[in-house]
Amino acid sequence: MVLNFFDDDYFFWKSFDFKNYWRNEYLSLNNRIFYSIKKTGTTIAGLIFKDGVIIASDTRATNDEISCDLRCEKIHYLAPNICCCGAGTSADTENVTSLISNHLELQRLSSGRESRIQTAVWALQNFLFRHGGLISAALIVGGYDFLGAQLYSIHPHGSTENLPFIAMGSGSLAATAILERFFSSNLDVNSALTLIKESILAGIYSDIGSGGNVDLCIIKERTLEFKRSLENENTTKVSGIFLHNSNSIEIK
């Protein structure tokens, strides 16, 4: 296939392989075959408060326009002092975090020391970068080690950010708006719980791919606490009497 399009930066990116991109362009122009990206829905968030870090997520798992699971666990255990939330493909996030969790456990057994957050972030970042973004796993990693509470976001292509509060997923815009408006660096645990819960709810009510309940994980210096179904307001409440036609079939 002949390269028909050129760019001023051609000499900088000519070493990369764009064969699949040009193939898809050729097929879409000649055979009217259009490729689309699969839509996934999630709202995950995290923030650092005075005594530790909190990460939270919704619980809806979707397959395109179908809601498959209303109680999906999106908070994954990595170490006794580290957890992470995953957005993207459920199988990818589950298996990537399970793999790194096993590596961290082997390291603790070998060294006799607790896992460091930077070690977990580096392992996840390196794994995703080596696969070139083909693994659909966007992660928020939170934990507490000898450096204190830390919070990182890891994108599917391997880039990372270290911020005091983070939101990711399709509902992240609404969640980020709440976090930016009310976050402060000296929140106590109750204020932090309220803020992170409201940010996830904002994502749930603003994004059709997010829903279900609100799950939380609170990580302090020597404790790690999971809270499932902390908030369950995104349910359809049905009231009244349903009348059926006389020729309808009763279902038992």
Side-chain angles (χ1 to χ4, degrees), residues 184-226:
S184 66
S185 58
N186 58 350
L187 291 173
D188 59 16
V189 63
N190 293 326
S191 300
L193 283 172
T194 301
L195 177 56
I196 199 72
K197 181 187 70 175
E198 292 299 325
S199 67
I200 297 296
L201 289 176
I204 287 175
Y205 290 125
S206 302
D207 174 43
I208 194 171
S210 304
N213 310 323
V214 178
D215 287 352
L216 290 171
C217 179
I218 306 170
I219 307 172
K220 297 182 181 180
E221 184 174 3
R222 299 189 181 277
T223 61
L224 187 150
E225 180 183 2
F226 282 98

Side-chain angles (χ1 to χ4, degrees), residues 58-105:
D58 70 314
T59 60
R60 174 180 289 177
T62 58
N63 182 9
D64 201 14
E65 297 179 354
I66 301 173
S67 180
C68 303
D69 188 359
L70 296 178
R71 290 182 56 82
C72 177
E73 294 185 14
K74 300 181 183 180
I75 301 179
H76 308 284
Y77 170 88
L78 292 180
N81 60 321
I82 309 172
C83 284
C84 80
C85 296
T89 303
S90 298
D92 288 346
T93 58
E94 190 76 35
N95 285 280
V96 168
T97 54
S98 177
L99 174 67
I100 301 304
S101 177
N102 292 335
H103 287 181
L104 292 175
E105 184 174 5

Side-chain angles (χ1 to χ4, degrees), residues 16-64:
F16 292 90
D17 189 358
F18 290 89
K19 290 188 295 185
N20 288 335
Y21 172 76
W22 300 120
R23 180 204 64 184
N24 295 345
E25 287 290 309
Y26 176 81
L27 291 175
S28 63
L29 291 173
N30 293 275
N31 299 329
R32 299 296 186 269
I33 300 176
F34 299 97
Y35 294 88
S36 61
I37 298 175
K38 193 173 186 63
K39 173 69 170 64
T40 59
T42 291
T43 301
I44 56 177
L47 63 85
I48 295 176
F49 66 100
K50 185 168 57 176
D51 300 320
V53 61
I54 299 177
I55 57 176
S57 72
D58 70 314
T59 60
R60 174 180 289 177
T62 58
N63 182 9
D64 201 14

Side-chain angles (χ1 to χ4, degrees), residues 109-193:
L109 293 173
S110 176
S111 64
R113 298 180 297 181
E114 72 171 7
S115 299
R116 297 184 179 180
I117 301 165
Q118 190 60 50
T119 303
V121 171
W122 179 88
L124 291 166
Q125 173 188 6
N126 186 54
F127 184 85
L128 294 175
F129 178 78
R130 285 191 288 108
H131 288 80
L134 298 176
I135 294 180
S136 178
L139 307 172
I140 293 179
V141 180
Y144 200 109
D145 59 13
F146 72 101
L147 293 176
Q150 300 176 58
L151 188 66
Y152 289 86
S153 66
I154 307 176
H155 296 269
H157 51 269
S159 66
T160 63
E161 295 173 313
N162 181 12
L163 298 169
F165 62 87
I166 300 170
M168 299 182 76
S170 55
S172 61
L173 291 178
T176 301
I178 301 296
L179 291 171
E180 288 182 343
R181 174 64 179 83
F182 298 104
F183 177 80
S184 66
S185 58
N186 58 350
L187 291 173
D188 59 16
V189 63
N190 293 326
S191 300
L193 283 172

